[in-house]
Amino acid sequence: MFEKFFLLFAFVCTVSAELGCPDGWTLGKGTDKCYKLLAGLMDYDKSEAACKALSAELSSIHSDAENAAVYAYTANGAHVRLGAKRFGPGKYDFKWNDGSPMDYKRFNDQYMDNTAGKEDCFDLWLEDRWNDIHCTAQEIVVCQKPGSHVSSG
């Protein structure tokens, strides 16, 4: 009986769970999130709808690693739309659309100016910093979803 138990225990211990992503998605280095670059440029509303159609969200960022994973899509000076909107009159009054806390911030103070009082969205741009923008701006869209555990071993 002990030998059967030991063999079963040894088998269970050699199987590990790794994070993986669906086909067409990329696991962000040092994160637990999968990312997908969508084709074309979109405004905020179309971006949000496109991500939701994939059972995903616009990117919300909570660490240096997540910021770097999304920043990787800014080649050639492109702006990447982030999933947050302004909720109040303050310069930094933003909330993530996925309901997660705004517990990490990388605002570029030079560009957080709410031009004409109409920059109610923001993006990731210069020097891996965030900038407020018009929600109607056409930008690159990167969706995110949690990585899923896959067994290996």
Side-chain angles (χ1 to χ4, degrees):
M1 177 73 170
F2 176 75
E3 292 154 354
K4 288 181 183 176
F5 173 77
F6 180 76
L7 288 174
L8 178 62
F9 179 77
F11 174 75
V12 170
C13 289
T14 60
V15 175
S16 64
E18 297 177 8
L19 282 177
C21 298
D23 288 341
W25 294 74
T26 303
L27 185 65
K29 183 178 179 182
T31 78
D32 61 354
K33 294 180 181 176
C34 298
Y35 298 95
K36 181 178 183 89
L37 174 66
L38 302 187
L41 304 176
M42 297 178 217
D43 67 18
Y44 180 88
D45 291 335
K46 287 181 182 170
S47 300
E48 187 175 40
C51 289
K52 288 199 180 296
L54 298 171
S55 299
E57 299 280 348
L58 283 168
S59 297
S60 63
I61 298 176
H62 303 279
S63 68
D64 286 338
E66 290 178 8
N67 199 67
V70 177
Y71 184 68
Y73 293 97
T74 64
N76 301 317
H79 296 239
V80 176
R81 178 166 307 285
L82 297 178
K85 287 186 94 171
R86 190 181 304 276
F87 68 88
K91 188 174 186 175
Y92 303 107
D93 289 344
F94 285 92
K95 287 184 180 178
W96 293 117
N97 66 344
D98 64 5
S100 61
M102 180 89 43
D103 53 1
Y104 172 88
K105 298 176 179 89
R106 257 184 103 69
F107 294 110
N108 186 330
D109 292 325
Q110 180 180 353
Y111 296 105
M112 292 297 293
D113 52 11
N114 195 16
T115 302
K118 295 184 179 185
E119 293 188 330
D120 291 334
C121 291
F122 69 86
D123 63 9
L124 178 58
W125 183 43
L126 281 176
E127 301 166 0
D128 73 345
R129 299 283 180 172
W130 307 345
N131 170 52
D132 59 349
I133 56 162
H134 291 263
C135 294
T136 57
Q138 302 292 306
E139 296 194 302
I140 288 174
V141 180
V142 177
C143 301
Q144 73 179 30
K145 61 171 60 181
S148 57
H149 290 281
V150 293
S151 295
S152 67

